[in-house]
Each structure stands twice: as C-alpha cells, then as structure tokens.
Amino acid sequence: MSVREREVPALMAEGRSNASVAEALTAGEGTVSKHVGSILTTLDLTLTDATNRRVLAVLA
C-alpha cells in the first residue's frame, strides 16, 4: 500500500467524504476514489447490503 493509500483511510476515519479527503490531500476527487477502490480491493472487501466497506477498511 502506498503512502497516499495510508493517508486516505486515516482521513476516512475522521468521517470525511471523498471530496473532503481530496481537499485535505490537495488531490482530485477522482484520484481519491481510485485510492479508495484500490484499498477496498487490496483488503478484499466486497460490496454487500450488510456491511459498510469504508468502515471496514478503516478498521483494517
């Protein structure tokens, strides 16, 4: 996981949206979305109705 991919979940843990994370990192919202997707894939967090993948990513 890259340094930036470690910064993203730290900001997500603060309850920030992708737009807010992007602003904090001076990055584009699309870039943050790609990082979040990469993190979810790396952690093998699949989409289900019963879980919130962003929360699970932060906990991991």
Side-chain angles (χ1 to χ4, degrees), residues 39-46:
I39 291 164
L40 298 176
T41 299
T42 299
L43 296 174
D44 195 29
L45 298 173
T46 56

Side-chain angles (χ1 to χ4, degrees), residues 1-2 16 23-27 30-31 39 49-51 54 58-59:
M1 194 177 292
S2 72
R16 294 178 181 243
E23 183 178 334
L25 298 176
T26 61
T31 300
I39 291 164
D49 290 337
T51 61
R54 289 176 66 99
V58 168
L59 292 174

Side-chain angles (χ1 to χ4, degrees), residues 1-16 21 25 32 35-36 39-40 43 53-60:
M1 194 177 292
S2 72
V3 172
R4 186 64 91 182
E5 287 174 337
R6 290 186 189 120
E7 293 173 329
V8 170
L11 293 168
M12 287 170 38
E14 295 176 4
R16 294 178 181 243
V21 171
L25 298 176
V32 170
H35 284 307
V36 171
I39 291 164
L40 298 176
L43 296 174
R53 297 183 304 164
R54 289 176 66 99
V55 172
L56 293 175
V58 168
L59 292 174

